[in-house]
């Protein structure tokens, strides 16, 4: 079973609250739930993260040889998702940043899913949030500057959503409008896209108190996480950035991300190239994320210098081999930060995909000219559902890296 990240609002949060029994006496133990989900996700090679990312992994895995044979991990995987995302998968629509392209017409039925609605299926409570315009008349004091015209436009938009045209727009996006409705034949919410609008289900939302309780118990139930940070220190990382060089930006991002590691978690640091021109250099071996090790990571990266080529694929192969354990009670991931294509490792994207162990994640974060849709990285992500690529720039590398490691480390 693949479940989206419950730390983000959506299907992952609601389904986890249901799996935990919504705080009722006699509910399942969260630790047992999380252990079973981690083992199932590892067996199927599904990433943590959003529903779109997991469905993208499913789409990429199913065309592979034997992926949908009876008894295979992918064929036996149930994906917790929403009607909207499932219908997008079945129709061949783009699925987030990992699957940005639509699938051509005539896609195989093997890469589609049919919705199953358990009796405790809940709805997602999408709400309208009004933004306020503010201005400061004096330091530290904000006053409302929302005009009557702005407030009127917001009310008009709310009224439009409740009217025929707005309800039709919601249906076109794969969202059920409130009350009774008739979905148009051939639209996104159609049986040909795997959904069943006549299924019996409790479509009420889950209360904020139940969700808050779930998040607290989910954090306590997290297995320890192991992260290997592999940083590109090739010559191009000396290129200028808004604050110093690209390598300076990485130093700042890594320093901020380390605060998310808990004492039970583990961390290590490599740079590449290093040792030999086509290899890496281990600056900090993977080990418990104690304060002295976190300081060692910061200091070691601070003294690293940018020079040489980019043995990207070699760093990936060696990295996933070093961090993988095969232990479902440990969430393991290699996080590679790079600004260039592979130049001298002598390996292929397929070799990287083959080296991935069950349950080990590889996340590539791009910075600079290289992008996830480039020939090398797009081939890699297509070759393995355990690989995720995320584009970043100097302005948002910190949040992207923090979001990545937060999915692996328990924080405890």
């Amino acid at each position: 079973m693949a479940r989206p990240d419950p730390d983000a609002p959506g299907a992952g949060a609601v389904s986890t609250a249901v799996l935990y029994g919504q705080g009722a006496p006699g509910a399942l133990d969260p630790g047992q739930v999380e252990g079973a989900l981690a083992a199932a996700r590892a067996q199927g090679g599904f990433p943590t993260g959003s529903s779109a990312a997991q469905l993208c992994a499913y789409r990429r895995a199913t065309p592979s040889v034997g992926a949908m044979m009876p008894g295979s991990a992918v064929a036996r995987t149930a994906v917790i998702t929403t009607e909207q995302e499932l219908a997008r998968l079945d129709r061949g629509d783009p699925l987030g940043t990992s699957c940005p392209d639509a699938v051509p017409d005539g896609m195989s039925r093997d890469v589609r899913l049919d919705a199953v609605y358990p009796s405790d299926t809940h709805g997602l409570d999408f709400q309208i949030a009004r933004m306020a315009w503010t201005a400061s008349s004096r330091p530290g004091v904000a006053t409302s500057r929302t005009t009557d015209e702005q407030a009127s436009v917001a009310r008009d938009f709310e009224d439009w959503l409740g009217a025929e045209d707005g309800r039709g727009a919601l249906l076109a996006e794969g969202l059920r409008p409130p009350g009774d409705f008739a979905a148009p034949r051939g639209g996104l919410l159609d049986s040909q896209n795997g959904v069943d609008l006549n299924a019996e289900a409790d479509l009420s939302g889950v209360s904020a108190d139940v969700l808050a309780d779930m998040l607290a118990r989910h954090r306590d139930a997290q297995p320890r996480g192991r992260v290997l940070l592999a940083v590109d220190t090739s010559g191009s990382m000396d290129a200028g950035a808004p604050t110093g060089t690209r390598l300076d930006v990485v130093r700042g991002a890594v320093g901020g991300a380390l605060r998310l590691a808990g004492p039970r978690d583990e961390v290590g640091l490599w740079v590449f190239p290093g040792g030999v021109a086509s290899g890496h250099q281990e600056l900090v071996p993977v080990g418990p994320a104690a304060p002295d090790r976190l300081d060692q990571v910061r200091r070691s990266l601070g003294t690293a210098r940018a020079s040489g080529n980019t043995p990207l694929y070699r760093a990936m192969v060696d990295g996933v081999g070093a961090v993988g354990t095969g232990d479902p009670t440990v969430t393991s991931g290699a996080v590679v930060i790079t600004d260039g294509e592979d130049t001298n490792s002598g390996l292929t994207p397929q070799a990287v995909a083959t080296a991935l162990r069950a349950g080990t994640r590889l996340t590539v974060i791009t910075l600079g000219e290289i992008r996830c849709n480039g020939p090398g990285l797009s081939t890699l992500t297509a070759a393995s559902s355990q690989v995720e690529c995320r584009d970043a720039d100097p302005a948002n590398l910190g949040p992207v890296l923090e979001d990545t490691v937060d999915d692996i480390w328990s924080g405890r």
Side-chain angles (χ1 to χ4, degrees):
M1 176 177 288
R3 175 205 58 188
D5 182 6
D7 286 325
V14 171
S15 62
T16 303
V18 174
L19 288 170
Y20 288 1
Q22 303 188 57
L28 294 173
D29 176 67
Q32 294 178 332
V33 171
E34 295 303 322
L37 286 172
R41 187 180 66 246
Q43 185 179 25
F46 285 84
T48 58
S50 68
S51 176
Q54 292 182 339
L55 291 175
C56 174
Y58 178 86
R59 174 182 286 173
R60 285 175 169 160
T62 46
S64 63
V65 177
M68 291 306 294
M69 294 295 290
S72 70
V74 173
R76 293 183 288 108
T77 297
V79 182
I80 298 176
T81 186
T82 64
E83 280 184 331
Q84 181 188 49
E85 295 286 6
L86 182 142
R88 287 173 173 168
L89 169 80
D90 283 9
R91 194 169 70 174
D93 291 357
L95 296 171
T97 57
S98 296
C99 283
D101 299 320
V103 175
D105 292 340
M107 62 184 293
S108 169
R109 179 65 196 176
D110 285 346
V111 293
R112 300 189 185 197
L113 292 170
D114 290 317
V116 175
Y117 299 79
S119 59
D120 52 1
T121 298
H122 284 264
L124 299 183
D125 186 14
F126 292 102
Q127 300 183 8
I128 294 176
R130 288 195 183 186
M131 308 302 291
W133 284 262
T134 61
S136 179
S137 57
R138 61 182 186 274
V141 178
T143 58
S144 175
R145 288 286 302 275
T146 304
T147 66
D148 291 342
E149 181 181 5
Q150 290 166 339
S152 175
V153 170
R155 287 192 299 269
D156 290 345
F157 178 67
E158 291 184 26
D159 293 340
W160 176 81
L161 279 176
E164 182 178 357
D165 287 349
R167 292 167 63 83
L170 291 173
L171 282 168
E173 292 297 320
L175 299 174
R176 299 186 183 207
D180 296 331
F181 64 91
R185 291 186 60 83
L188 186 56
L189 292 183
D190 190 281
S191 59
Q192 68 180 1
N193 295 327
V195 303
D196 181 5
L197 296 181
N198 296 317
E200 294 290 336
D202 177 6
L203 298 181
S204 63
V206 175
S207 73
D209 289 343
V210 168
L211 290 175
D213 176 72
M214 177 277 296
L215 288 172
R217 295 199 290 163
H218 176 259
R219 284 191 293 270
D220 290 341
Q222 289 309 292
R224 60 191 175 94
R226 174 178 293 172
V227 172
L228 172 64
L229 297 168
V231 176
D232 181 352
T233 54
S234 61
S236 58
M237 290 293 286
D238 201 36
T243 54
T245 66
R246 290 176 182 171
L247 189 53
D248 289 329
V249 172
V250 174
R251 292 184 181 112
V254 169
L258 291 176
R259 64 181 174 79
L260 299 174
R264 295 173 61 250
D265 296 321
E266 298 181 10
V267 64
L269 174 67
W270 289 4
V271 295
F272 61 95
V276 296
S278 60
H280 68 271
Q281 180 181 4
E282 182 183 71
L283 298 185
V284 181
V286 175
D292 58 344
R293 186 178 299 273
L294 299 180
D295 288 341
Q296 186 181 3
V297 170
R298 296 186 184 95
R299 291 195 307 270
S300 298
L301 190 55
T303 59
R305 294 294 175 261
S307 66
N309 290 310
T310 311
L312 180 60
Y313 297 151
R314 170 54 61 190
M316 292 179 181
V317 169
D318 293 346
V320 296
V323 79
T325 65
D327 183 351
T329 65
V330 179
T331 304
S332 300
V335 180
V336 178
I337 305 173
T338 183
D339 74 339
E341 295 279 3
D342 183 276
T343 59
N344 67 324
S345 70
L347 298 174
T348 65
Q350 287 78 8
V352 178
T354 302
L356 284 165
R357 298 181 182 180
T360 302
R361 300 173 55 189
L362 170 62
T363 303
V364 185
I365 301 178
T366 67
L367 181 70
E369 291 77 18
I370 187 175
R371 297 284 91 175
C372 293
N373 61 2
L377 293 180
S378 61
T379 301
L380 175 58
T381 54
S384 175
S385 61
Q386 294 170 243
V387 181
E388 181 181 13
C389 187
R390 308 185 67 177
D391 288 327
D393 55 50
N396 72 346
L397 177 62
V400 170
L401 179 59
E402 290 181 15
D403 185 59
T404 299
V405 298
D406 196 35
D407 284 343
I408 305 174
W409 281 329
S410 69
R412 299 188 297 116

Short mmCIF file of all heavy atoms in Angstrom, two decimals, residues 28 36 73 158 162 164 200 202 249 282 326 336 367 412:
data_model
loop_
_atom_site.label_atom_id
_atom_site.label_comp_id
_atom_site.label_asym_id
_atom_site.label_seq_id
_atom_site.Cartn_x
_atom_site.Cartn_y
_atom_site.Cartn_z
N LEU A 28 -5.84 1.02 16.14
CA LEU A 28 -4.56 0.40 15.81
C LEU A 28 -3.41 1.23 16.37
O LEU A 28 -3.49 2.45 16.46
CB LEU A 28 -4.42 0.28 14.29
CG LEU A 28 -5.38 -0.68 13.58
CD1 LEU A 28 -5.22 -0.53 12.08
CD2 LEU A 28 -5.13 -2.11 14.01
N ALA A 36 4.07 -1.25 8.91
CA ALA A 36 3.49 -2.01 7.80
C ALA A 36 3.48 -1.19 6.52
O ALA A 36 3.79 -1.71 5.44
CB ALA A 36 2.06 -2.44 8.17
N ALA A 73 5.15 -6.86 -7.17
CA ALA A 73 4.90 -5.86 -6.12
C ALA A 73 4.00 -4.75 -6.61
O ALA A 73 3.10 -4.30 -5.89
CB ALA A 73 6.24 -5.29 -5.63
N GLU A 158 -17.03 33.78 -4.77
CA GLU A 158 -17.70 32.77 -3.96
C GLU A 158 -19.07 32.45 -4.55
O GLU A 158 -19.47 31.28 -4.64
CB GLU A 158 -17.83 33.25 -2.52
CG GLU A 158 -16.52 33.33 -1.76
CD GLU A 158 -16.74 33.72 -0.31
OE1 GLU A 158 -17.84 33.45 0.23
OE2 GLU A 158 -15.83 34.31 0.29
N GLY A 162 -20.67 28.76 -6.45
CA GLY A 162 -21.91 28.08 -6.09
C GLY A 162 -22.93 28.04 -7.20
O GLY A 162 -23.93 27.30 -7.11
N GLU A 164 -24.07 27.69 -11.47
CA GLU A 164 -23.91 26.62 -12.45
C GLU A 164 -22.53 26.61 -13.09
O GLU A 164 -21.89 25.56 -13.22
CB GLU A 164 -25.00 26.74 -13.52
CG GLU A 164 -24.95 25.63 -14.56
CD GLU A 164 -26.07 25.74 -15.58
OE1 GLU A 164 -26.92 26.65 -15.44
OE2 GLU A 164 -26.09 24.93 -16.52
N GLU A 200 -21.12 4.16 -2.21
CA GLU A 200 -21.52 4.61 -0.88
C GLU A 200 -20.27 4.94 -0.06
O GLU A 200 -19.36 4.12 0.07
CB GLU A 200 -22.33 3.51 -0.17
CG GLU A 200 -23.68 3.21 -0.81
CD GLU A 200 -24.68 4.35 -0.62
OE1 GLU A 200 -24.50 5.12 0.35
OE2 GLU A 200 -25.61 4.45 -1.44
N ASP A 202 -18.74 7.88 3.26
CA ASP A 202 -18.93 9.03 4.14
C ASP A 202 -18.05 10.15 3.62
O ASP A 202 -16.83 10.13 3.80
CB ASP A 202 -18.54 8.65 5.57
CG ASP A 202 -18.66 9.84 6.53
OD1 ASP A 202 -19.16 10.91 6.10
OD2 ASP A 202 -18.26 9.69 7.70
N VAL A 249 25.56 28.77 -1.58
CA VAL A 249 24.11 28.57 -1.43
C VAL A 249 23.83 27.19 -0.85
O VAL A 249 22.98 27.02 0.03
CB VAL A 249 23.40 28.76 -2.78
CG1 VAL A 249 21.92 28.37 -2.67
CG2 VAL A 249 23.54 30.20 -3.27
N GLU A 282 34.50 11.04 1.04
CA GLU A 282 33.67 11.00 2.24
C GLU A 282 34.22 11.98 3.26
O GLU A 282 35.28 11.79 3.84
CB GLU A 282 33.66 9.58 2.83
CG GLU A 282 32.77 9.45 4.06
CD GLU A 282 32.84 8.05 4.66
OE1 GLU A 282 33.91 7.72 5.25
OE2 GLU A 282 31.86 7.31 4.54
N GLY A 326 18.13 -2.20 3.56
CA GLY A 326 17.17 -3.28 3.39
C GLY A 326 16.32 -3.50 4.62
O GLY A 326 15.49 -4.42 4.66
N VAL A 336 21.29 13.94 -3.56
CA VAL A 336 22.38 14.44 -4.39
C VAL A 336 22.03 15.85 -4.87
O VAL A 336 20.97 16.05 -5.47
CB VAL A 336 22.63 13.52 -5.60
CG1 VAL A 336 23.74 14.08 -6.47
CG2 VAL A 336 22.98 12.11 -5.12
N LEU A 367 20.46 22.40 -9.43
CA LEU A 367 20.76 23.80 -9.17
C LEU A 367 21.58 24.32 -10.34
O LEU A 367 22.62 23.74 -10.67
CB LEU A 367 21.53 23.95 -7.86
CG LEU A 367 21.92 25.36 -7.41
CD1 LEU A 367 20.70 26.14 -6.99
CD2 LEU A 367 22.93 25.29 -6.27
N ARG A 412 13.18 12.75 15.59
CA ARG A 412 13.20 12.35 16.99
C ARG A 412 14.51 11.64 17.34
O ARG A 412 15.14 11.06 16.48
CB ARG A 412 12.03 11.41 17.32
CG ARG A 412 10.67 12.03 17.08
CD ARG A 412 9.57 11.15 17.60
NE ARG A 412 9.52 9.87 16.91
CZ ARG A 412 9.75 8.70 17.50
NH1 ARG A 412 10.08 8.64 18.76
NH2 ARG A 412 9.69 7.57 16.83
#
